[in-house]
Amino acid sequence: MNTITKIRWMFSALLMVCLLTLTFHFPSQARSLQGDTDFSAVDVYVEAQMETLKIPGLALAVVQGDQVVYVKGYGQADSDGRAVTPQTPFMIGSTGKSITALAIMQLVEAGKVELDVPVQTYLPWFRVVDSQASAQITVRQLLNQTSGLSHATGLREEFASDLSDSAIENSVRRLADVALNRAPGTTYEYSNVNFTILGLIVQTVSGQSYESYVQEYIFDPLEMHHSFTSQDEAMQDGMATGHVKWFGINLSKTIPFNRGHMPGGNQICSAEDMAHFLIAQLNDGRYESVSVLSPNSIAEMHKPAVPTDTPDEFYGMAWHIGEFGGTPTIYHDGQNGNFATQLVMIPDEKLGIVLMVNVNGAIMMGSVQQISQGVMAISMDKQPLPYQAPEFLSKLLGSVVVPVGVSILWVAWMVFRFIRRQRRGLPARRNILWALWVIVLPLIVDLGLLWVLLFGIPTLWELPLGGISVMFPDMFTLMIVSAVALAGWGVVRTVLTLRSARTQSKVVD
């Protein structure tokens, strides 16, 4: 090799080093470390979905192997127009259950927790209404959502508000008045409080708060520098503002924060940080040079444990295990009142997707999952499916729209009948049958419709009325307006009818 050739090789090597240095030290808001995926197609797809669903802000990360190959923020983080970035913290909802599950499995590896022993081994005072069942619930059953605690019980705790240091314990102690929905260990039923109990076990066994344990053993090792267990700290770091849908309009809304629900989904993380978390999940517990869990424990977490209500889908230790388009998939969604998140992993492809939005509501239910599946399809060189309104959305809306419509028609009919009766005058002879038909029966219908609106719908949705007001304020508005119209006109109609009858009786006398 002559001198000129050597100089050329040295110059080329120096140029390559400079390019690599620029790449890693001056990252753009969106960066790609892999050239075989057309991320411009991802951008076009995501922006189109945001336009369709009127999503104010979205954060996306794509993981391939042990690398974050793409991460980007779209839209606005708040009403001031601040841009979403990969480092913008979002509420992650129930995807945070996998953080709690990881903490439990770390304690299992440390010999401090056993999966198949009763919860009372670590919390001797723990109980539900049935004392015998209380002693049967195990740690593994909590992880696999087979404890017997109901979905409705978990939702009630989600909408509580407790910022005290004992918030997690307070939430678990309230279960003493709760009856199980089924026998422990028999069948799957998703309940947030399963992970509240697990969070308290983390606190009790580790000897430190849940928040400090997660920071020390999960956030710090995985370099999750924009992840928090405190809403105040997250807001100081530029947390996105959450929004709710009100008849299609995005309304910024801050929802009361419940520290007691922290282990079940009140963590606050950025898309970039959750990409680090997925790298550890996809790479036998390792992120860069750090291991947060052994390969065997990661495999145990991803193993299908119990069938869910969805055909060909299983649940296991804070993950749903199923398939998308024939491809084995591990995933979980997260729903807060004003945020929604989706984590997706394709283990065979070493592919992971993080997707976060700062809005929630009826139309968003299932939509974030569809967008993440679209990104996943493009990442695998497939065509994303067009957006389709989730099937359960029509059932969800119908369960409100139908009784609201019936209530409005009923009030309108009663107003019409009352006006017509007043014009014609009351019959001269009024007996008990007249009173039953004109006064009692309409009141019974009023009360029946009121029960449906104020108790029946919340029971069907397994949400307290306050929870509906938080997550679905538009549906709540319809329910309350209809209930007020029913109750108000029912009282006015009855009073005016009785007054007219009394007045006419005096005239006759």
Side-chain angles (χ1 to χ4, degrees), residues 168-398:
I168 297 175
E169 181 176 336
N170 293 342
S171 182
V172 176
R173 286 190 180 276
R174 280 194 289 272
L175 297 176
D177 298 323
V178 170
L180 296 183
N181 222 24
R182 55 199 75 200
T186 54
T187 51
Y188 165 89
E189 182 171 0
Y190 189 95
S191 183
N192 290 320
V193 290
N194 286 324
F195 281 79
T196 305
I197 301 167
L198 290 168
L200 186 57
I201 291 175
V202 170
Q203 285 192 165
T204 304
V205 171
S206 68
Q208 59 190 113
S209 70
Y210 173 87
E211 292 91 341
S212 64
Y213 181 92
V214 166
Q215 185 69 50
E216 181 177 352
Y217 293 98
I218 298 176
F219 288 170
D220 288 346
L222 296 179
E223 298 183 6
M224 299 172 69
H225 302 311
H226 299 279
S227 295
F228 305 93
T229 52
S230 163
Q231 189 175 38
D232 290 339
E233 292 179 9
M235 292 177 71
Q236 292 172 12
D237 193 55
M239 175 182 172
T241 299
H243 297 76
V244 294
K245 291 282 187 184
W246 194 77
F247 299 108
I249 301 171
N250 294 327
L251 299 180
S252 59
K253 184 172 183 179
T254 300
I255 291 173
F257 188 77
N258 183 21
R259 190 174 173 185
H261 183 54
M262 179 64 64
N266 266 6
Q267 304 92 335
I268 306 166
C269 306
S270 70
E272 186 172 66
D273 286 359
M274 290 308 291
H276 298 177
F277 183 78
L278 284 194
I279 286 174
Q281 294 285 329
L282 287 165
N283 291 273
D284 296 330
R286 296 193 67 83
Y287 171 74
E288 295 188 348
S289 61
V290 175
S291 176
V292 293
L293 203 63
S294 72
N296 287 340
S297 292
I298 288 289
E300 183 71 16
M301 290 181 69
H302 295 173
K303 185 172 66 176
V306 293
T308 69
D309 301 328
T310 302
D312 301 320
E313 181 187 270
F314 295 82
Y315 195 88
M317 298 193 180
W319 293 104
H320 292 277
I321 300 98
E323 64 174 38
F324 170 67
T327 303
T329 307
I330 299 173
Y331 67 94
H332 211 292
D333 67 326
Q335 305 285 339
N336 297 102
N338 51 354
F339 289 90
T341 302
Q342 188 79 22
L343 300 182
V344 183
M345 293 184 290
I346 311 292
D348 293 346
E349 303 287 337
K350 291 282 187 177
L351 177 68
I353 307 290
V354 179
L355 196 140
M356 304 171 167
V357 300
N358 61 342
V359 65
N360 211 343
I363 195 172
M364 297 303 300
M365 305 297 285
S367 298
V368 176
Q369 182 179 25
Q370 286 194 50
I371 299 173
S372 65
Q373 289 174 344
V375 172
M376 181 176 68
I378 296 172
S379 301
M380 298 172 65
D381 296 324
K382 297 179 180 179
Q383 190 69 24
L385 297 174
Y387 172 78
Q388 292 183 337
E391 291 183 8
F392 70 85
L393 181 59
S394 59
K395 298 177 182 177
L396 188 74
L397 297 177

